């Protein structure tokens, strides 16, 4: 099947799954912004998205998208390195007009993956997984606000999340326009436009996440009423 065996097919799969994950990040960021205005409102969203059938289906779907995206990224990277052979060792400088993010997508991908695992441990494990299994956790599984407060009261987590957000920004700023190029939507006029759109969108998206982290880190978020 060409989606698996051809380089173009792999890029198409990478692009489709990448765009789907960007849409999820947009939803996730919008949900997090609620926590800046209302602790109760945020917990209402968490309770609505608890361990019910549609949340479980969405979680499994997102997990499948993430796994496919990561696997195909690895396959493409290995294929590209194999195609270059020993020539890759002769390259000592970054080629002209090639973005830093493009040259370091594997490293950025690893940072993003490690950050994802940390995020799953801090939130998904203590919330949806705890609700499904009934294990004892620090707060009520639906009390997502308290988990945000607890996580970002730890300076180490704040630093790790900032590094993670920066890595995602670099990854998205390149991946966005690269996906449009794979879809064939990047003529001479639109190539630069997609780059600008990708940078602006990625910046606004990651700023939303960063603002939440910093607001809770410096105690600027609302409190949860008892």
């Amino acid at each position: 099947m060409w989606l698996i065996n051809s380089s173009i097919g792999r890029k198409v799969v990478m692009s489709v799954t990448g765009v789907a994950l960007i849409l999820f990040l947009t939803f996730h960021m919008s949900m997090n912004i609620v926590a800046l205005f209302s602790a109760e409102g945020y917990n209402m969203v968490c309770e609505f998205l608890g361990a019910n059938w549609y949340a479980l289906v969405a979680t499994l779907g997102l997990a499948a998208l993430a796994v496919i995206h990561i696997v195909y990224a690895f396959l493409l990277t290995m294929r590209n390195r194999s195609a270059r052979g020993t020539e890759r060792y002769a390259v000592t400088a970054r080629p002209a007009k090639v973005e830093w993010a493009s040259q370091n997508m594997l490293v950025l991908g690893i940072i993003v993956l490690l950050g994802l695992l940390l995020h799953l441990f801090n939130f998904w494990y203590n919330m949806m997984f705890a609700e499904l299994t009934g294990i004892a956790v620090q707060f009520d599984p639906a009390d997502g606000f308290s988990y945000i407060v607890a996580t970002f009261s730890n300076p180490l987590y704040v630093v790790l999340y900032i590094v993670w957000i920066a890595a995602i920004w670099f990854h998205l700023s390149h991946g966005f326009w690269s996906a449009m190029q794979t879809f064939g939507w990047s003529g001479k006029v639109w190539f630069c436009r997609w780059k600008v759109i990708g940078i602006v969108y990625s910046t606004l998206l990651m700023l939303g996440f960063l603002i939440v982290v910093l607001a809770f880190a410096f105690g600027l978020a609302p409190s949860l009423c008892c």
Side-chain angles (χ1 to χ4, degrees), residues 149-186:
V149 173
T151 298
F152 299 124
S153 63
N154 185 329
L156 177 59
Y157 281 147
V158 173
V159 172
L160 290 176
Y161 269 83
I162 290 175
V163 171
W164 186 38
I165 289 170
I168 296 175
W169 182 87
F170 278 110
H171 198 79
L172 291 184
S173 62
H174 169 78
F176 189 97
W177 67 260
S178 180
M180 299 303 107
Q181 188 176 48
T182 298
F183 295 148
W185 302 341
S186 58

Side-chain angles (χ1 to χ4, degrees), residues 183-196:
F183 295 148
W185 302 341
S186 58
K188 292 182 179 180
V189 175
W190 274 97
F191 180 75
C192 292
R193 291 180 181 176
W194 281 125
K195 277 196 170 184
V196 173

Side-chain angles (χ1 to χ4, degrees), residues 21-34:
L21 291 171
I22 289 174
L23 292 175
F24 167 71
L25 285 174
T26 303
F27 166 77
H28 196 3
M29 185 272 290
S30 302
M31 173 183 168
N32 286 358
I33 292 296
V34 175

